[in-house]
């Protein structure tokens, strides 16, 4: 039997998988806290500069007094005036680490396994998180933020893939959406924790300590049976499946996976070239080009939608940044599992709606009511972008075979980070014309949505394990797939 049939015997989402997925999903709370840490620990309070010991009207010394009772890296290391850039630099270093981690950890987990990469990355993220909390200088703090970002970006992908590869494919949309939703909840919880624990070192320690718990809970997690099977280690995959079955209370005595040839198991084609297969393999090359563009524009729109007003309580702002995304996830689960919508049409529709919302803001008069205003359209756009962003994660993991799934996710996530880096520069185009930024964001959403329609639908289709299962596209964009019901269906395949 193949792996999907075996999982049906084991239990596609049995009690054991629910516990394993719960550990991985809740780890997103820890990762969200690390992602948002600089927002609170890098807060710059109001201050005044007093001049002392004036000689001939020239100040000899200056004394900085912070007028707010705030404990942050700014107040400890006086990161103001010419030193103020260091706060943003620490945040940028974290996101630079995310970008590198996306690219490095993906191929690594495809080569040596999901579990060792995930556990090693989580262990070192916790270690470097404590270095952040007890940093003796700004330089140590900044370096630790880069290393935490490196681990955070890497294990985020591996964690996401594990939540899907532990369960049957029919549950991938749900587990993937739960992962993204829990990350948003983690951001909101971090705002609450920051309000309760305000000294920055105590906050950094508290936010990092949850990682210790999640690491201990993750130690007992098994290797992904899908990855083992894709590497030709069918016997080891059977052992993991039998272990899952016993924990699910299913007595599976005759579980025998179909043996595949050496070439199909990924000996030289699937394992040897690694990330280069994204360029060499014709099917993967075209898929990756489309997905990178879609994720790039999604990153631009998502980063812009998060750039709202920063007035008011910083703790409330952090919490709202996460809570505003939550309504998008039930929409995702509903639409992507409907046969008339699926992954492809849902992602394209949400991207186009997000772009259209940006365009509509240019036609809203200043005296418009609360129901139809720039703010309401911005919230609609935020929901649409968040939904498209989540679907893109689920969809991308389904479009890549198991042997190169993390590498594909990593490259596409890197493209998304680049979009996030470019997004803050778009508003400056207002100098050319007031409507220029909205036009750019509109074109980003519409073009990404239309291009995404070139990708094949993956709803109710078996997941590819090896590169050979992708077939050869030749010069045609269509090929026959064998569905789960073994009926041939015609679909677009890049």
């Amino acid at each position: 039997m193949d792996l999907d049939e075996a999982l049906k015997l084991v239990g596609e989402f049995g009690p054991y998988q629910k516990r394993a997925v719960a550990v991985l999903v809740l780890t997103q709370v820890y990762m969200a806290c690390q992602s948002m840490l600089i927002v609170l620990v890098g807060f710059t309070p109001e201050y005044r500069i007093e001049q002392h010991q004036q000689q001939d009207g020239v100040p000899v010394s200056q004394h900085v007094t912070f007028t707010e009772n705030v404990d942050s890296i700014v107040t400890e290391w006086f990161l103001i005036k010419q030193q103020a850039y260091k706060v943003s630099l620490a945040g940028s270093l974290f996101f630079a680490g995310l970008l590198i981690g996306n690219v490095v950890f993906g191929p690594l987990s495809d080569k040596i396994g999901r579990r060792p990469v995930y556990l090693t990355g989580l262990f070192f993220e916790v270690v470097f998180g404590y270095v952040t909390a007890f940093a003796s200088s700004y330089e140590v703090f900044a370096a630790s933020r880069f290393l935490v970002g490196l681990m955070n970006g890497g294990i985020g992908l591996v964690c996401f893939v594990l939540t899907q590869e532990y369960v049957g494919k029919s549950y991938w949309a749900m587990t993937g959406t739960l992962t993204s939703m829990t990350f948003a909840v983690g951001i909101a919880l971090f705002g609450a924790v920051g309000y309760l624990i305000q000294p920055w070192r105590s906050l950094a320690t508290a936010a990092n300590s949850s990682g210790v718990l999640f690491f201990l809970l993750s130690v007992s997690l098994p290797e992904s049976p899908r990855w083992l099977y894709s590497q030709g280690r069918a016997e080891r995959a059977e052992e993991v499946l039998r272990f899952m079955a016993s924990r699910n209370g299913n007595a599976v005595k005759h579980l025998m996976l179909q043996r595949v040839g050496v070439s199909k198991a990924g000996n030289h084609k699937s394992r040897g070239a690694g990330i280069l297969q994204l360029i060499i393999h014709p099917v993967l090359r075209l898929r990756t080009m489309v997905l990178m563009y879609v994720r790039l524009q999604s990153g631009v729109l998502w980063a812009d939608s998060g750039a709202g007003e920063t007035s008011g309580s910083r703790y409330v702002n952090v919490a709202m940044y996460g809570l505003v995304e939550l309504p998008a996830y039930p929409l995702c689960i509903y639409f992507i599992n409907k046969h008339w919508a699926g992954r492809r049409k849902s992602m394209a529709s949400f991207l186009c709606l997000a772009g259209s919302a940006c365009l509509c803001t240019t036609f809203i008069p200043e005296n418009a009511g609360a129901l139809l205003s720039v703010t309401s359209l911005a919230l609609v756009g935020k929901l649409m972008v968040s939904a498209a962003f989540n679907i893109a994660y689920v969809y991308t993991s389904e479009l890549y075979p198991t042997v190169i799934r993390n590498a594909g996710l990593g490259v596409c996530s890197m493209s998304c980070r680049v979009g996030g880096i470019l997004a803050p520069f778009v508003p400056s185009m207002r100098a050319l014309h007031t409507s220029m930024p909205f036009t750019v964001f509109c074109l980003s959403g519409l073009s990404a949505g239309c291009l995404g329609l070139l990708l094949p639908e993956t709803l109710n289709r078996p997941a590819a394990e090896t590169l050979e299962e992708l077939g050869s596209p030749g010069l045609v964009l269509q090929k026959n797939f064998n569905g789960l019901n073994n009926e041939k269906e015609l679909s677009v395949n890049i």
Side-chain angles (χ1 to χ4, degrees):
M1 66 182 71
D2 62 22
L3 197 59
D4 290 318
E5 293 174 341
L7 277 169
K8 288 181 180 180
L9 291 176
V10 169
E12 289 190 286
F13 196 47
Y16 178 76
Q17 284 112 314
K18 289 177 182 177
R19 290 192 294 270
V21 169
V23 171
L24 295 168
V25 165
L26 290 174
T27 304
Q28 297 297 314
V29 174
Y30 166 70
M31 297 175 67
C33 291
Q34 289 293 356
S35 297
M36 300 300 294
L37 184 69
I38 193 64
V39 176
L40 295 184
V41 304
F43 177 72
T44 302
E46 295 291 331
Y47 63 90
R48 65 173 182 268
I49 299 178
E50 301 173 350
Q51 312 288 350
H52 292 289
Q53 300 178 0
Q54 294 191 352
Q55 295 179 354
D56 299 327
V58 179
V60 175
S61 63
Q62 295 180 337
H63 179 70
V64 178
T65 302
F66 291 98
T67 57
E68 295 182 64
N69 185 21
V70 173
D71 179 30
S72 68
I73 62 172
V74 175
T75 61
E76 179 165 338
W77 293 314
F78 294 96
L79 304 180
I80 58 174
K81 293 291 187 179
Q82 292 84 358
Q83 301 296 314
Y85 76 94
K86 291 185 177 181
V87 178
S88 299
L89 177 60
S92 298
L93 286 172
F94 177 85
F95 287 104
L98 279 180
L99 191 150
I100 298 172
N102 288 160
V103 180
V104 173
F105 277 61
L108 194 61
S109 69
D110 287 332
K111 184 177 182 180
I112 67 175
R114 317 302 198 209
R115 183 177 181 273
V117 171
Y118 170 68
L119 290 177
T120 303
L122 182 57
F123 174 80
F124 281 108
E125 182 171 359
V126 172
V127 170
F128 295 135
Y130 281 122
V131 173
T132 292
F134 299 106
S136 58
S137 64
Y138 168 80
E139 289 73 21
V140 175
F141 175 87
S144 68
R145 294 316 296 160
F146 171 78
L147 294 171
V148 168
L150 184 70
M151 301 300 147
N152 192 289
I155 68 172
L157 294 175
V158 185
C159 182
F160 180 86
V161 169
L162 274 175
T163 61
Q164 296 186 307
E165 294 186 349
Y166 280 156
V167 303
K169 190 175 182 296
S170 59
Y171 289 92
W172 282 18
M174 184 191 69
T175 56
T177 301
L178 281 175
T179 302
S180 300
M181 184 173 68
T182 309
F183 190 90
V185 172
I187 293 175
L189 289 176
F190 178 68
V193 173
Y195 177 77
L196 297 173
I197 308 174
Q198 298 193 6
W200 80 266
R201 290 186 184 275
S202 299
L203 175 59
T205 302
N208 192 62
S209 295
S210 63
V212 178
L213 172 63
F214 292 124
F215 174 79
L216 295 176
L217 292 174
S218 299
V219 169
S220 61
L221 295 177
E223 181 56 88
S224 162
R226 283 192 181 274
W227 179 82
L228 290 168
Y229 183 64
S230 71
Q231 299 296 303
R233 299 166 62 181
E235 293 182 359
R236 180 71 183 109
E238 290 168 358
E239 291 178 11
V240 174
L241 290 171
R242 290 192 188 99
F243 172 76
M244 289 182 173
S246 65
R247 293 300 183 93
N248 288 339
N250 296 333
V252 179
K253 297 180 180 179
H254 305 289
L255 193 154
M256 182 69 69
L257 292 175
Q258 178 184 0
R259 265 48 176 179
V260 293
V262 176
S263 176
K264 193 174 182 181
N267 185 35
H268 67 281
K269 286 188 176 181
S270 300
R271 288 186 296 187
I275 198 171
L276 291 178
Q277 287 292 345
L278 300 177
I279 301 172
I280 298 171
H281 197 285
V283 175
L284 292 178
R285 179 171 62 246
L286 293 173
R287 284 188 185 182
T288 302
M289 289 171 60
V290 173
L291 285 169
M292 285 186 69
Y293 182 80
V294 170
R295 296 293 295 276
L296 174 72
Q297 302 304 338
S298 298
V300 170
L301 288 166
W302 189 80
D304 172 66
S305 66
E309 295 294 328
T310 57
S311 58
S313 169
R314 59 187 180 276
Y315 307 109
V316 174
N317 288 336
V318 170
M320 289 304 299
Y321 187 80
L323 291 176
V324 74
E325 294 187 13
L326 293 183
Y329 299 113
L331 288 175
C332 290
I333 294 177
Y334 176 77
F335 282 107
I336 63 180
N337 285 318
K338 297 297 181 181
H339 70 276
W340 45 266
R343 278 68 156 152
R344 181 170 62 101
K345 292 179 182 178
S346 296
M347 184 184 73
S349 298
F350 282 126
L351 284 170
C352 289
L353 287 172
S356 300
C358 291
L359 181 63
C360 289
T361 56
T362 61
F363 303 107
I364 301 298
E366 293 183 0
N367 58 351
L371 184 61
L372 186 63
S373 63
V374 173
T375 301
S376 62
L377 280 175
L379 287 174
V380 171
K382 174 70 173 174
L383 288 177
M384 298 299 104
V385 173
S386 299
F389 201 81
N390 174 65
I391 295 172
Y393 256 104
V394 176
Y395 193 27
T396 302
S397 66
E398 293 180 344
L399 285 169
Y400 286 103
T402 304
V403 291
I404 203 166
R405 182 166 293 130
N406 257 314
L409 268 173
V411 170
C412 293
S413 295
M414 178 196 69
S415 179
C416 181
R417 304 293 180 192
V418 173
I421 292 171
L422 295 176
F425 295 98
V426 178
S428 63
M429 299 177 70
R430 190 176 285 109
L432 300 175
H433 194 276
T434 54
S435 64
M436 186 62 71
F438 299 104
T439 303
V440 171
F441 288 127
C442 174
L443 292 176
S444 295
L446 293 177
S447 62
C450 292
L451 196 61
L453 290 173
L454 294 174
L455 296 167
E457 180 56 68
T458 57
L459 177 64
N460 295 331
R461 300 283 168 77
E465 307 297 340
T466 64
L467 300 184
E468 286 75 6
E469 293 178 33
L470 293 175
S472 177
L475 298 176
V476 197
L477 294 182
Q478 293 183 332
K479 68 165 286 193
N480 287 322
F481 278 87
N482 287 322
L484 290 176
N485 57 357
N486 294 323
E487 293 179 359
K488 290 189 176 180
E489 299 174 353
L490 188 65
S491 66
V492 175
N493 178 40
I494 298 183

